[in-house]
Every structure is written in C-alpha cells, then in structure tokens.
Amino acid sequence: METVTVLVIDADEASRNFLAQLLQKKNYKVKHASSAQEGVRVVEEETPGMVIFDTKLPDLSAMELIERLQKFPDIADVPCVVLSSKSDPEEMQACLHAGCAEYYVKSGMVMMTLVDSIPRLLMEGKRLRKRSEKGFLFTFLSAKGGTGTSSLCANIGMNMASHLPQSTVAVADLVLPMGSIASLVGSDEDTFNLVTVADQQTDKITADFLKDNLIVPSHWLFHLLPGAPNPETAINLQVGHIPNIVDSMRKAYDYVLIDLGRSLSRISLPIIQDADLVVLVLSTDLSTVNHTKKLWHYLKDQGIDSTRVFPVLNRAVGLEGLTKAEAEKILELEIKLMVPYMMGNFTLANNQHTPISMKFPTDTATMVMKQAAMEMSQKAIKMRG
Ligand SMILES: Nc1ncnc2c1ncn2[C@@H]1O[C@H](COP(=O)(O)OP(=O)(O)OP(=O)(O)O)[C@@H](O)[C@H]1O
Ligand SMILES: [Mg+2]
C-alpha cells in the first residue's frame, strides 16, 4: 500500500513532534509546518493525503486557513482534521461546515485516538470540499395558528447568525395572505418584499440581486425577505416565481429559514420536500397535537422522512396541556426541542421588535433558542455528509 503523507500544521513544536512520532510509528510520512503560510506552501508543492492542523496559528485563523487550502482543487479529496486547544462550539461548527472531517480538543490521548482513526477517515470520504453550492433550507411549519412559528423562525434565525458567525443566514416569510416577520423584527415591508421580488423577470431574481437588496433588520443579524404586506397585494403574487426565489436564496446564503406558517399548499409542498429540515411547531393543547399528527402523516405520504422532521413543542399558551411524552406518543415522533412558557415576556420582546436573547439574556428561552440553532445546523450538516 502506498504511504500516506500527513501534513501537520502546528505552531507548538513539542506537540507537532509528538504527533509526528505517533504518525511515523504507524508508517505515515509526515510533513511539518509551524504556520498557516508554511502549510499552504507545503500543499502548493505536493498535495498531502491528509491535513491535521492546530487552530492557534500565528498568521491565519482556522477558517482563513481552510479557505486558502480550498483554493487548491486537489485538496477537495483530502480529509482535514482540526485540533483545537479549547472547545469552541462556534469554531467547530464553522470548520465542520467548511468540510473538515473531525474537530478535536487537543490532548495526548486525543492525538493517539486521532492517529488510530486515520484509516477510517481516509475511507469515509469526508473531504475538504468547497462550500456547498446550495445553502441549507429549514422550513417552519405548523398545523394550527398562534403556536409561535413566526417568533421561533425569527429568533432561531437570529441565533444562527449570532453563533455561526462564519455563515450567512436569511429568513423568508412565505406566509399567505400576509407575512408577520417584518413587523415582528421592526422592518419596513412595503417596498421590497416577496410580492415585489416575484414581480421581477425570472432572470433578474438571482443570488446577487437578493444579496444586494435583502436588508438586515437591526439586532436580528439575518437578512430578511419580508412577506406579502397585505392580502390585496398578495392576490397579485406571481407564485410561479417562488421556486426560483427559494433557489436563489439558497445560492446566496448558507442557511435559509422559511416561515410557511399553516400555508400547506401546492406552492409550499415542493419547498418542504426540498428542505434539509422541516421544523414542526406545536403547542401543548390536545387539538393542536392531533392536528399536527394529521399534518405529519400527510408529509410522510409525500415522501418526507422522519429524520428530516424537527418537532418543537412550544408552550405558547401556558403551563397546562400535554407533557412531552404524551405529545410524542400521539405524534409517534421524538420532540427535539421544548420551548418554555414565557408568559407576557415573549409578546413584550416581539412588540419591541427585539430578539429574546437580547431582551432576556438569562432566560431559559435564550438558551433554548441557541440550542435549537446549533442542533439544527449540526443535524443538517451531518445529514448532507
Ligand atoms: N413560549 C412562549 N411563551 C409565551 N408566549 C409565546 C411563546 N411562544 C409564542 N408566544 C406568543 O404567541 C403569540 C403568537 O406567536 P407567533 O405570531 O409567533 O405565532 P404563529 O404560529 O406564527 O401565529 P400565526 O398563526 O398568526 O402565524 C405571540 O404573541 C408570541 O409572543
Ligand atoms: Mg406566523
């Protein structure tokens, strides 16, 4: 078998040598680099079979190094492992999203495990691919109104943008006959919205057109495509352009969150079928859970697999109602997230157009929104492989 060359990029000489020794013992050929620039030069000369790098480099950040490496076409076939001196979930997410095979917090033990897992990593084919051409698509859907679908879509979107700083996030409001996210986040919806975009010629609705025109409402960090501002305007919506709008949004942004509300229709179904994750928002009352069960059965019949469904139980209406276990039993689906009842606080934050995590940074709901954002992104990355 041909000897695999492993490039080790690490500014710390002792740790670099320790890893090199472990690698050599297993008959790997090792190339050393003490900075990102040096690592890039090694790759320039000859593509290694594998790259292992420490994130604490004197010249470039982890993401900058990854971007530099990705400029080499051959590197797309090379697994890349990140060693970090501290656990940093945001950095981990960014590196894995960029195509790194593993992210480890560095220790002697971890380095031994890593060396043992090289044959598996080489086989698995997780490569330092270029950023995907299509962003992740998350649709937010509910079987009944008032379950908090729009509030969660906006707040989870904000948390994604905040905790995945290397990624771009957009939210689109496709609820008909009128959207609510623009008013929730305090943004103007009159001049640029779903209806005005759909009015454009097909060839004008490009990723660049959206990037140039979608604004970031203050405090919310994501780019917003507001929905139809009122029913009169919605009547004129060129629905035939919606698939093109969604497609261009996915080309323009890493994560696209779409509020569909209750609008399950010929327009929304293909979007749901295309989504990486279908977030089903339900409240704890029996009637909503039963409606959600019907909706889920319908989606299943339309080819949506349960692994793509992300049910969220939101206690929007109070403390009473079904427990998580009771709701799961009816739905025959695992509830992925529980949002606590926030009494009037959620409405207060909404009325002030402020994200929950800004208005109530120590509230459990703030933690839950962050958890939702991270779990959804991790799940989607894993599913795409
Ligand atoms: N966990 C919660 N605790 C308290 N209030 C909540 C909670 N979640 C949502 N709410 C409140 O419920 C109301 C409805 O929220 P939202 O508009 O997001 O729901 P929706 O499902 O999008 O409704 P619609 O069917 O009108 O689109 C809002 O006033 C919001 O503040
Ligand atoms: Mg809504």
Side-chain angles (χ1 to χ4, degrees):
M1 217 173 78
E2 208 186 316
T3 324
V4 176
T5 304
V6 182
L7 167 61
V8 180
I9 312 176
D10 191 336
D12 181 53
E13 196 183 348
S15 120
R16 205 172 63 230
N17 287 340
F18 176 70
L19 182 56
Q21 265 177 18
L22 293 175
L23 288 163
Q24 277 153 352
K25 256 191 226 157
K26 300 264 176 180
N27 295 324
Y28 295 108
K29 202 172 141 198
V30 183
K31 286 198 173 166
H32 294 245
S34 60
S35 69
Q37 308 277 12
E38 219 180 291
V40 171
R41 273 199 297 276
V42 173
V43 177
E44 240 161 22
E45 279 163 23
E46 191 195 332
T47 311
M50 173 143 182
V51 179
I52 302 174
F53 73 89
D54 186 298
T55 50
K56 228 169 77 194
L57 294 168
D59 44 357
L60 297 182
S61 72
M63 283 311 294
E64 284 166 338
L65 171 60
I66 292 170
E67 278 165 22
R68 291 284 299 274
L69 290 175
Q70 282 172 329
K71 296 214 165 93
F72 299 95
D74 290 352
I75 209 86
D77 292 325
V78 173
C80 182
V81 172
V82 186
L83 284 175
S84 176
S85 35
K86 58 178 190 333
S87 169
D88 179 342
E90 285 162 21
E91 185 186 67
M92 176 178 81
Q93 205 92 342
C95 291
L96 294 177
H97 188 198
C100 291
E102 302 274 356
Y103 181 97
Y104 290 114
V105 177
K106 201 192 228 179
S107 75
M109 269 305 280
V110 158
M111 288 199 239
M112 283 186 236
T113 316
L114 162 61
V115 173
D116 285 339
S117 59
I118 291 179
R120 172 179 62 80
L121 292 169
L122 289 170
M123 250 173 54
E124 269 178 3
K126 179 92 171 90
R127 305 297 190 234
L128 196 59
R129 57 175 157 71
K130 284 240 173 60
R131 192 168 274 224
S132 165
E133 266 182 24
K134 264 191 168 188
F136 292 111
L137 177 63
F138 301 148
T139 53
F140 284 68
L141 195 63
S142 63
K144 265 199 161 188
T147 52
T149 314
S150 305
S151 309
L152 290 180
C153 182
N155 277 281
I156 293 175
M158 182 269 175
N159 273 269
M160 268 182 198
S162 158
H163 297 292
L164 305 172
Q166 310 284 350
S167 305
T168 52
V169 180
V171 169
D173 191 339
L174 261 61
V175 176
L176 294 170
M178 59 186 153
S180 67
I181 294 197
S183 65
L184 198 159
V185 302
S187 174
D188 172 40
E189 60 194 334
D190 288 338
T191 46
F192 193 86
N193 57 50
L194 176 67
V195 182
T196 58
V197 173
D199 255 349
Q200 309 289 327
Q201 306 264 353
T202 323
D203 57 0
K204 209 181 156 207
I205 311 170
T206 61
D208 284 338
F209 171 72
L210 293 171
K211 268 197 267 187
D212 290 345
N213 286 287
L214 261 55
I215 54 126
V216 179
S218 50
H219 311 313
W220 291 86
L221 310 172
F222 56 71
H223 294 239
L224 175 68
L225 176 61
N230 53 55
E232 297 83 60
T233 316
I235 287 174
N236 298 317
L237 175 65
Q238 306 280 334
V239 289
H241 284 173
I242 289 181
N244 188 15
I245 295 175
V246 175
D247 205 52
S248 294
M249 284 196 74
R250 295 179 75 179
K251 283 185 185 138
Y253 298 96
D254 297 316
Y255 293 91
V256 177
L257 283 68
I258 298 188
D259 183 9
L260 292 171
R262 277 170 297 158
S263 27
L264 183 61
S265 64
R266 270 182 299 130
I267 307 164
S268 60
L269 187 61
I271 304 173
I272 300 169
Q273 283 170 321
D274 224 20
D276 290 276
L277 282 185
V278 180
V279 182
L280 274 185
V281 184
L282 60 147
S283 50
T284 50
D285 57 290
L286 183 60
S287 126
T288 301
V289 180
N290 279 329
H291 269 72
T292 310
K293 179 186 178 172
K294 281 190 209 161
L295 172 63
W296 159 229
H297 282 184
Y298 176 72
L299 295 177
K300 198 155 54 171
D301 288 344
Q302 301 302 315
I304 288 150
D305 190 81
S306 64
T307 52
R308 280 204 286 144
V309 180
F310 196 95
V312 177
L313 191 61
N314 180 18
R315 292 200 179 273
V317 286
L319 293 168
E320 63 283 352
L322 302 179
T323 62
K324 176 173 178 265
E326 286 165 342
E328 284 177 333
K329 199 164 166 214
I330 296 172
L331 277 179
E332 293 165 12
L333 270 178
E334 186 195 340
I335 304 280
K336 297 283 185 208
L337 194 83
M338 299 278 291
V339 183
Y341 178 48
M342 290 188 68
M343 297 192 283
N345 281 352
F346 212 129
T347 311
L348 181 68
N350 284 356
N351 288 343
Q352 294 181 352
H353 317 301
T354 316
I356 294 292
S357 24
M358 220 178 122
K359 181 83 187 153
F360 303 105
T362 55
D363 198 288
T364 319
T366 290
M367 203 188 72
V368 170
M369 300 299 163
K370 177 179 174 184
Q371 186 196 341
M374 301 306 261
E375 272 180 23
M376 284 169 56
S377 125
Q378 260 162 25
K379 198 167 179 324
I381 292 171
K382 239 190 216 157
M383 284 195 309
R384 280 221 197 152

